[in-house]
Amino acid sequence: ASPLRGAEGTLFGLLYVFRQTSERERVQHLVLRELEELARLAKRNLPARDARLPGCRVDWLFHPSELSGGDVVGFAALDAGRAGFWAVDVIGQGVSSALFSLLLHTVLSTDAGRGGILVAARCEEPRREVRNPAEVVRELNRRFYVDQDRNPFFTLAYGMLDADRGILSLVRAGHPHPLLVRPDGTTRTLRPEGYAIGLFPRAEPAVEEVRLAKGDRLLLYSDGLVDATDPAGERFGSERLVDLAKRHRSDTLRGLIEAIDGEVLAFR
């Protein structure tokens, strides 16, 4: 309803506009329901918690966005002595990002017969050929760069731990910098540089190698964690995450995860 006034400001009538919205509301309800189902599907695809891999244990924390997003986290034993783990964030939100993340869940696997790229398809167990982190990035760019205006792209942090040598090899393609926490509270941000997958197909990924010792912890996270805001609009930020990791470095791995979960949810 809008008032109708003359040149002098005198009210002389009201204009009413009626609009049928039932169809729009039906479609909106349908889309929201599908987004909620995609979020549930993404959570069902996550690996088992508190898992053991060659040389390490792994745990995770995941809260899907209301509008569904493109976050993927995973890990796998690559062979008897090496473990791989990754965090992915498809740029954008909504149905397309969520569906693309489900595709990446299949691609980032050791099941070469179903399209997984972490091991070579031509090799059989137990002597299968493991792709190193740089090769994984090159293969992802080869598959997903389509040279179009609306080319899908995503950020990635991918690490491979050689348990026998105690060496971590890490690539970062536009993803937030992983955080290494030592048992004595010393922290280090790992900064191999690289562009998001799907932007520059021939960009050569940088690999950082780190020697790990017993008790070291590596945190991979998406920008959804550090960009969480409080009611005043302040970001949670990486400094709070570093402080949390230091304070809870003596906790169990599950204890650290629960501490991060509780503090971020209380903050936002």
Side-chain angles (χ1 to χ4, degrees), residues 137-138 141-142 145 198-204:
V137 170
R138 293 189 196 104
N141 267 318
R142 187 187 71 79
Y145 181 79
L199 289 181
F200 305 104
R202 283 177 285 278
E204 191 61 22

Side-chain angles (χ1 to χ4, degrees), residues 20-249:
Q20 173 64 268
T21 62
S22 58
E23 179 63 15
R24 186 178 68 177
E25 289 172 354
R26 186 189 70 83
V27 172
Q28 183 182 41
H29 176 73
L30 177 64
V31 170
L32 290 175
R33 191 174 65 190
E34 292 297 320
L35 288 172
E36 291 169 356
E37 179 57 33
L38 283 171
R40 286 192 291 269
L41 182 59
K43 206 161 189 176
R44 286 199 298 269
N45 277 334
L46 290 167
R49 292 200 60 184
D50 199 18
R52 291 182 179 272
L53 296 178
C56 64
R57 297 179 69 169
V58 189
D59 207 342
W60 50 262
L61 167 67
F62 181 77
H63 287 292
S65 165
E66 285 183 353
L67 296 179
S68 192
D71 285 297
V72 179
V73 61
F75 44 84
L78 302 175
D79 59 18
R82 286 177 289 186
F85 40 89
W86 55 92
V88 170
D89 185 5
V90 181
I91 303 304
Q93 288 186 325
V95 174
S96 60
S97 295
L99 290 175
F100 193 60
S101 73
L102 294 176
L103 170 63
L104 291 174
H105 177 79
T106 301
V107 172
L108 288 166
S109 78
T110 58
D111 191 349
R114 298 181 60 189
I117 67 169
L118 301 185
V119 297
R122 63 181 179 276
C123 297
E124 299 291 335
E125 288 273 18
R127 296 180 55 83
R128 57 184 176 180
E129 180 183 338
V130 174
R131 285 194 170 102
N132 64 47
E135 290 170 336
V136 169
V137 170
R138 293 189 196 104
E139 180 62 18
L140 288 171
N141 267 318
R142 187 187 71 79
R143 291 197 182 196
F144 293 109
Y145 181 79
V146 294
D147 196 18
Q148 294 179 358
D149 291 340
R150 296 183 60 83
N151 190 61
F153 64 98
F154 55 94
T155 66
L156 166 76
Y158 179 78
M160 183 177 72
L161 174 64
D162 186 325
D164 296 331
R165 298 167 57 222
I167 298 295
L168 167 72
S169 301
L170 180 78
V171 294
R172 190 185 69 86
H175 210 72
H177 299 94
L179 177 65
L180 177 63
V181 184
R182 305 286 191 184
D184 63 359
T186 304
T187 61
R188 177 183 169 191
T189 301
L190 304 183
R191 298 182 175 274
E193 295 303 325
Y195 297 104
I197 306 297
L199 289 181
F200 305 104
R202 283 177 285 278
E204 191 61 22
V207 179
E208 182 167 352
E209 290 196 346
V210 182
R211 182 170 294 279
L212 298 182
K214 184 177 180 179
D216 287 348
R217 284 176 172 170
L218 182 72
L219 275 64
L220 307 181
Y221 57 93
S222 73
D223 55 6
L225 190 154
V226 292
D227 287 345
T229 57
D230 68 6
E234 182 180 357
R235 293 172 65 251
F236 186 80
S238 57
E239 291 183 2
R240 284 188 176 87
L241 180 61
V242 171
D243 179 64
L244 260 171
K246 285 183 177 181
R247 284 192 281 116
H248 295 275
R249 66 185 183 275

